[in-house]
Every structure is written in C-alpha cells, then in structure tokens.
Amino acid sequence: GENVEQHPSTLSVQEGDSAVIKCTYSDSASNYFPWYKQELGKRPQLIIDIRSNVGEKKDQRIAVTLNKTAKHFSLHITETQPEDSAVYFCAASEGAQKLVFGQGTRLTINP
Amino acid sequence: DGGITQSPKYLFRKEGQNVTLSCEQNLNHDAMYWYRQDPGQGLRLIYYSQIVNDFQKGDIAEGYSVSREKKESFPLTVTSAQKNPTAFYLCASTEQNYNEQFFGPGTRLTVL
C-alpha cells in the first residue's frame, strides 16, 4: 500500500520568512495530494491540494509543487505570519477515496 | 464549521468498558472515515465506509467496530480489546468520486 513520509517534523521560522515542508510517497498510482492545517485541539482543514496532472498550484501565500517522477511534493508558505503556526499534514490518495497521511510538521512562526 | 459533527467532545472510560463515539453528517456524503490521532504519528485510518451497509478495515482496525445503517451516521465502538485506546478520534466524510475529506471536530478519549 501507499506510504507517505513527511519532513521535517518540526520547523521554526522568523515571521516574514518562507517555510517549506516536503513529502514523499511510494505508490506511483496515487493521483491526489492534499495538505491539511490543524490548529491545536481543532479539526484538520484543507488548505490546498494538487492532482497528478498538475505540477504546481498557488493560492495567495501558499503553493504546492509536485514531482511525479521523483514521487515527492512540497508545501511552500511565503511571508509567514503568526497565524500560520500549526501542524501541517500532507496526504496521498490510495484509490477508492482513501488518503494516507504523513506524520505531520509542527510549524512555529517566531515574531 | 457545520456539516459533520462528533460527540461527545471528551470521553472518559474505565478499562474493560466498551464506548461508542458518534459521527453524523448532513452533507449528503457517501463515504465516511474514522481516524485515530496520536502525538507525532499523524492520522491513521481505523475504518471507512463508501456506502450504506458496507465498510472496510483500515490500517489499525483491531479492537474497534463500526456500523453504517444510515448514510448520515457512522458510529465507532472502541472495545475492551483495544489495548491503548487513549487518543484523539476524528471522523471525516467525502462525496462520491471526490477526494477532499471534511473532518469533524474530534472526540478525545481517555482511559482511566
């Protein structure tokens, strides 16, 4: 089955700097790659996703890139703000509407 | 934040007891999921159901059971066979032929 590895597990950046979180997946058949943000004690919420027929997608300060050949995808957050502090999860579809999640990255934005 | 609800928010259980966690959605979604979240381990799939009266085991189904008698409801029972049930449990749902999963607010289960 699918296996998703996420790095780093923790990331601390200065406010205004960029943050990058990387994920690798194992199943070349996976075709959907979402990123979720989870604030402390809250539910995960989708912030951006990408499908395998697209290499990059942007939404304001957030972007996701996908390299199908290398089987990895990354989340890029520019001009970070204190409210970006949260745990971020990547995931890959395993078909049949199943998602396999990475272990999560705790992002801290330092003022 | 409406659409998918879980109850209770906090649940305390004595060892040896079965408990049932509720998950309800009014989004008319076909598929529903249960995940377990432990610190530093991400979300692990317990059970999922793509249609009423049908469900499949996920990666960590041992010690858990589910039912899907109605499209709107997907309750999870944590049985006494689950060795380490203390965790945060999240329910999710999605439309048929669509990938985005919407999560409920979660239930934090603590075994005393």
Side-chain angles (χ1 to χ4, degrees):
Chain A
E2 177 65 275
N3 182 53
V4 177
E5 297 287 335
Q6 183 173 346
H7 298 281
S9 57
T10 60
L11 179 60
S12 182
V13 301
Q14 289 297 120
E15 183 177 352
D17 289 350
S18 296
V20 180
I21 303 171
K22 299 181 179 181
C23 289
T24 60
Y25 62 99
S26 60
D27 188 351
S28 57
S30 290
N31 60 6
Y32 174 71
F33 307 91
W35 286 89
Y36 284 84
K37 175 183 179 182
Q38 186 179 29
E39 297 178 359
L40 188 64
K42 300 288 184 66
R43 72 186 83 191
Q45 293 195 308
L46 180 74
I47 55 171
I48 196 167
D49 56 13
I50 192 168
R51 298 192 179 274
S52 58
N53 58 348
V54 176
E56 183 176 2
K57 184 177 179 180
K58 290 183 180 180
D59 183 3
Q60 299 183 338
R61 297 186 296 108
I62 294 172
V64 56
T65 58
L66 172 65
N67 183 326
K68 286 196 302 181
T69 302
K71 289 190 279 188
H72 67 71
F73 56 112
S74 300
L75 177 71
H76 304 254
I77 305 174
T78 59
E79 302 173 9
T80 54
Q81 302 169 2
E83 53 265 36
D84 294 330
S85 294
V87 178
Y88 292 81
F89 293 98
C90 64
S93 65
E94 199 181 38
Q97 300 179 286
K98 280 180 63 180
L99 293 177
V100 177
F101 286 83
Q103 296 87 344
T105 296
R106 180 173 300 279
L107 175 62
T108 302
I109 308 301
N110 300 310
Chain B
D1 276 351
I4 180 165
T5 59
Q6 292 183 240
S7 62
K9 186 173 182 179
Y10 299 97
L11 186 57
F12 298 90
R13 188 196 92 174
K14 293 182 180 180
E15 284 192 22
Q17 288 181 335
N18 292 353
V19 290
T20 298
L21 283 58
S22 169
C23 177
E24 303 277 334
Q25 53 96 4
N26 62 2
L27 302 168
N28 199 35
H29 286 174
D30 293 290
M32 297 185 74
Y33 308 80
W34 274 105
Y35 293 93
R36 170 180 171 142
Q37 187 173 28
D38 295 282
Q41 294 194 43
L43 283 70
R44 293 184 290 168
L45 184 64
I46 305 172
Y47 269 97
Y48 66 105
S49 168
Q50 293 180 284
I51 196 169
V52 175
N53 292 323
D54 188 41
F55 48 83
Q56 288 79 39
K57 293 182 178 180
D59 300 318
I60 56 167
E62 184 176 353
Y64 300 98
S65 65
V66 294
S67 63
R68 187 83 188 278
E69 297 177 0
K70 298 186 300 181
K71 188 175 184 178
E72 303 79 19
S73 178
F74 191 40
L76 173 74
T77 296
V78 184
T79 75
S80 56
Q82 169 51 232
K83 300 301 181 188
N84 184 22
T86 294
F88 188 51
Y89 291 86
L90 286 159
C91 179
S93 68
T94 188
E95 290 183 68
Q96 191 176 34
N97 299 323
Y98 194 62
N99 292 105
E100 180 183 352
Q101 293 187 12
F102 294 84
F103 285 86
T107 293
R108 190 167 297 280
L109 173 63
T110 303
V111 174
L112 303 174

